């Protein structure tokens, strides 16, 4: 079950529905994604009503283990983004 939706699939789907050149639609999709990325970087969150919320948060440094050598290592602090479905979408999914 590896049916991943790609940006190209999104552009193709929109192209089928509207009468605009594919290049223009691709540019608009890229612009939308850039807006979403900058919102997450700036506000650490992006809420899309009826869909869900993207949240960025910092993970602290922690101890880990190299699986090949069993050597103990320290994993650097990093930022991660999580996605939480809206209740409406979750109900629709289930």
């Amino acid at each position: 079950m590896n049916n991943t939706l790609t940006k190209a699939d999104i552009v193709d789907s929109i192209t089928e529905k509207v009468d605009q050149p594919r290049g223009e639609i691709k540019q608009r999709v890229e612009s939308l994604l850039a807006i979403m990325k900058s919102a997450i970087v700036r506000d650490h969150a992006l809420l899309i009503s009826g869909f869900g919320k993207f949240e960025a948060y910092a993970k602290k440094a922690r101890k880990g283990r190299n699986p090949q050598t069993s050597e103990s290592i320290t994993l650097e602090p990093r930022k991660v983004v999580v996605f939480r479905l809206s209740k409406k979408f979750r109900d629709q999914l289930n």
Side-chain angles (χ1 to χ4, degrees), residues 13-26:
S13 180
I14 295 171
T15 303
E16 291 173 6
K17 293 179 173 106
V18 297
D19 186 29
Q20 291 183 355
R22 188 177 193 286
E24 190 174 313
I25 293 171
K26 181 179 179 185

Side-chain angles (χ1 to χ4, degrees), residues 41-86:
V41 168
R42 182 184 62 243
D43 302 327
H44 301 288
L46 170 66
L47 174 65
I48 303 173
S49 297
F51 184 68
K53 185 175 186 178
F54 295 89
E55 290 181 288
Y57 69 95
K59 283 186 128 181
K60 295 179 182 176
R62 61 188 174 93
K63 292 188 188 249
R65 183 181 62 83
N66 181 334
Q68 292 177 337
T69 63
S70 295
E71 174 188 357
S72 237
I73 57 174
T74 301
L75 300 170
E76 299 295 323
R78 61 192 175 118
K79 291 187 178 179
V80 295
V81 176
V82 295
F83 177 73
R84 290 179 173 70
L85 288 175
S86 71

